[in-house]
């Protein structure tokens, strides 16, 4: 099973930021199960949810989607 760039970077951001799934779920207005599904690659967030996730993690959507090599946001999930 292939890991997507989003899945890889989303998991890295959660790991390095010490943000809990429940905390992010609340901020993104989704269930904890949705966050688990994003982590495992079962599903991907809608554009609106992606926006909220990026805002909360202080990373760019381009970074999470693999369009940028480095996180230029310098926020919570600094790589």
């Amino acid at each position: 099973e292939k890991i997507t760039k989003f899945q890889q970077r989303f998991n890295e951001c959660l790991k390095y930021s010490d943000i809990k799934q429940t905390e992010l779920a609340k901020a993104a207005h989704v269930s904890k199960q949705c966050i688990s599904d994003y982590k495992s690659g079962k599903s991907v967030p809608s554009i609106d949810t992606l926006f909220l996730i990026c805002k909360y993690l202080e990373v760019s959507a381009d970074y999470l989607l693999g369009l940028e090599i480095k996180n230029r946001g310098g926020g919570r999930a600094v790589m």
Side-chain angles (χ1 to χ4, degrees):
E1 192 173 320
K2 186 176 186 243
I3 295 174
T4 65
K5 189 61 80 170
F6 171 79
Q7 183 185 0
Q8 176 190 350
R9 290 192 173 173
F10 181 66
N11 284 318
E12 286 173 359
C13 285
L14 286 176
K15 178 181 174 183
Y16 292 114
S17 67
D18 291 325
I19 291 173
K20 298 191 179 351
Q21 289 184 45
T22 51
E23 188 182 336
L24 181 58
K26 184 176 179 181
H29 308 292
V30 296
S31 68
K32 183 178 177 270
Q33 184 61 51
C34 282
I35 300 298
S36 293
D37 288 348
Y38 304 155
K39 284 184 68 175
S40 68
K42 286 184 182 179
S43 66
V44 294
S46 69
I47 291 173
D48 291 336
T49 302
L50 179 63
F51 172 81
L52 294 171
I53 288 170
C54 290
K55 192 172 175 182
Y56 196 76
L57 293 176
E58 297 177 4
V59 297
S60 72
D62 282 353
Y63 176 75
L64 279 183
L65 296 173
L67 299 172
E68 283 184 355
I69 295 171
K70 290 186 173 184
N71 171 25
R72 299 183 195 277
R76 297 175 187 223
V78 177
M79 305 304 147

